[in-house]
Amino acid sequence: MRAFQVTSHDTAPSLVDIANPEPGPGEIRVKIKACALNFGDLLMIKGSYQATPPVPFTLGMEVAGVVDALGPDTDGPAVGSNVLVFGGSGGLAEFGVYPAESAVPMPKGMSYEDAAAFPVAYGTSHVALDHRAKLQPGENLLVLGAAGGVGLTAVELGKLMGANVIACARGADKLAVAKAAGADHLIDAKTADIRAEVKALGGADVVYDPVGGDQFKAAFRACNPEARLLPLGFASGEVPQIPANHLLVKNLTVIGLYWGGYLSFKPGVLTGSMQTLFDWYGAGKLKPHVSHVLPLEQAAEAYELLRSRNSTGKVVVTVD
């Protein structure tokens, strides 16, 4: 089968031919139809992600497809059923083997592209805003990187949860995408004084930050007393250093979140969150934003869209 693999952290990933995987006990094999890309993949390519597999490995964290085979002593899901899986890696290939318990049935009517784009982006934002920050109706939610894969879902979910959403993104085109997702206020990260504009809008009660760097620093200074800050990633390349003494002045709380980490110590958080999200999707309250769909042969170009920030929402690779 074809797979888009990292064979060395010093060379670019490439499409290679490898043997079809065989499922073991408790595992399923999925004929992959679509795989969504994530910023974490770019870190894996360099070997700097917290969950980078040993080389060689196949990229692709979240997939949607059809169950193709069951391993020994595996009861289901049934062969032929549509599932989505957060596997951490292995998704940019024609087939993937995963623990049966990690497969979630796709909601009726959901496309493979929507399904692949769903778990990480919506799951991260919902667990962050609901379970961790306990966002309340009427609070000011500041979303940095608001047109990106997770940022855009934070705008959409924040609005759905009753917050006043302040979206910060680079340029008019990306801000237009955030506005279409429900943002109440728009801030251009390229030209605006983020701190001043957020303060003028009443300050931030919750900060959702997949960017880091100078934007985090500006947001930190625009927080209201008892605000909660969620550092989720560092797309800027700079991990902010938080002055602990400043937390005391306004009684601020910094809340870490690694969505995938819940799989190992409290998976019920993810299961409950995903059920809520599927219910909202089924009711027409959520609409995944996929800006680009490319075939497996163009996986390198797909990652370049992510790396150059020329995409909005999610980039999805389809497998024929």
Side-chain angles (χ1 to χ4, degrees):
M1 71 172 187
R2 296 172 301 156
F4 192 68
Q5 287 203 331
V6 175
T7 56
S8 165
H9 296 303
D10 298 321
T11 58
S14 60
L15 199 60
V16 299
D17 287 315
I18 61 175
N20 285 4
E22 294 296 331
E27 294 181 330
I28 61 172
R29 186 171 65 192
V30 177
K31 182 174 177 57
I32 296 169
K33 297 292 188 178
C35 175
L37 308 190
N38 289 275
F39 184 78
D41 296 342
L42 300 180
L43 299 179
M44 279 191 189
I45 291 170
K46 297 187 294 184
S48 59
Y49 191 61
Q50 63 261 31
T52 301
V55 294
F57 67 90
T58 301
L59 290 161
M61 294 185 181
E62 48 187 342
V63 304
V66 183
V67 177
D68 170 75
L70 303 180
D73 302 319
T74 306
D75 295 330
V79 170
S81 58
N82 290 332
V83 295
L84 63 89
V85 182
F86 176 76
S89 61
L92 287 176
E94 294 181 275
F95 296 92
V97 166
Y98 304 100
E101 63 186 12
S102 68
V104 179
M106 284 172 48
K108 290 182 179 179
M110 179 180 269
S111 68
Y112 292 120
E113 291 81 4
D114 275 3
F118 203 87
V120 171
Y122 280 106
T124 296
S125 292
H126 185 249
V127 172
L129 297 178
D130 182 66
H131 180 70
R132 297 292 280 150
K134 296 181 172 26
L135 179 68
Q136 299 299 307
E139 288 191 310
N140 282 355
L141 168 64
L142 171 61
V143 180
L144 305 179
V150 292
L152 196 59
T153 61
V155 171
E156 191 177 5
L157 290 173
K159 188 64 177 177
L160 188 57
M161 294 167 69
N164 180 44
V165 181
I166 306 167
C168 183
R170 298 177 65 83
D173 290 345
K174 291 189 175 182
L175 287 172
V177 172
K179 184 173 180 59
D184 298 287
H185 306 282
L186 306 174
I187 297 176
D188 192 334
K190 290 200 298 186
T191 59
D193 181 333
I194 296 173
R195 178 192 179 219
E197 294 208 19
V198 173
K199 293 283 283 184
L201 292 168
D205 299 307
V206 174
V207 175
Y208 182 100
D209 178 25
V211 178
D214 290 340
Q215 290 190 40
F216 178 90
K217 296 172 187 175
F220 186 90
R221 298 175 66 200
C223 282
N224 292 327
E226 295 193 328
R228 291 88 74 202
L229 298 99
L230 294 152
L232 302 164
F234 315 105
S236 67
E238 180 185 343
V239 178
Q241 303 304 302
I242 300 167
N245 58 319
H246 290 190
L247 298 175
L248 310 182
V249 178
K250 292 183 180 178
N251 292 288
L252 303 179
T253 301
V254 179
I255 305 171
L257 173 71
Y258 170 39
W259 180 80
Y262 278 100
L263 289 169
S264 61
F265 71 91
K266 197 180 284 187
V269 170
L270 302 190
T271 304
S273 170
M274 199 57 60
Q275 187 57 60
T276 296
L277 291 168
F278 282 163
D279 289 346
W280 286 345
Y281 179 89
K285 295 180 179 179
L286 299 178
K287 184 174 176 56
H289 178 89
V290 178
S291 66
H292 296 83
V293 178
L294 288 84
L296 183 60
E297 294 79 9
Q298 293 179 252
E301 291 92 325
Y303 275 117
E304 186 55 35
L305 287 167
L306 205 63
R307 185 180 292 108
S308 63
R309 302 183 188 178
N310 285 323
S311 61
T312 55
K314 298 290 281 189
V315 176
V316 170
V317 170
T318 55
V319 183
D320 185 359

